Amino acid sequence: MKITGQGPVSWNQVRAAYQKGTGVKESGRQGQTRREEDIVQLSPESRLINDLKMRLAGVEDIRPAWVEAIRAAIAAGTYKVSLEDVADAILKEIGR
């Protein structure tokens, strides 16, 4: 294997290339640098998603009235689930 290139590189060359690529500029004082500020702008879609997440954070996942109705039907022996619904739920859970 043969490695070709420009040969040894001095630290000053590396530093100059880094500063050029990142926008870092030398200040008047030795050893101090000034960096440009980073700016983040969120898209309208990301703001909408964040707003929806905040709204849904207060919504309860469990509906107590529905749970009680199912419990009562199970206790009475009247709660029936079709085999197709069970199979669909299983396949959905394992990702098929």
Side-chain angles (χ1 to χ4, degrees):
M1 175 169 70
K2 182 176 181 181
I3 300 174
T4 60
Q6 68 185 55
V9 179
S10 73
W11 167 247
N12 289 332
Q13 289 174 316
V14 172
R15 184 174 53 120
Y18 172 77
Q19 289 175 341
K20 182 178 179 183
T22 60
V24 176
K25 298 179 182 176
E26 295 265 348
S27 67
R29 298 182 191 161
Q30 184 91 15
Q32 290 184 351
T33 58
R34 182 182 66 84
R35 295 189 178 170
E36 295 179 17
E37 295 293 321
D38 292 331
I39 297 172
V40 175
Q41 292 181 340
L42 300 177
S43 68
E45 292 83 9
S46 67
R47 283 189 233 125
L48 174 64
I49 290 170
N50 190 39
D51 183 44
L52 292 173
K53 282 182 181 178
M54 296 295 285
R55 288 182 188 185
L56 289 174
V59 175
E60 201 173 316
D61 287 345
I62 300 172
R63 294 174 279 177
W66 185 251
V67 172
E68 287 304 317
I70 293 173
R71 279 189 183 146
I74 291 171
T78 59
Y79 185 73
K80 304 286 184 218
V81 179
S82 74
L83 296 177
E84 290 82 15
D85 290 344
V86 173
D88 288 342
I90 291 172
L91 291 174
K92 185 178 178 181
E93 185 67 29
I94 62 172
R96 290 190 178 177

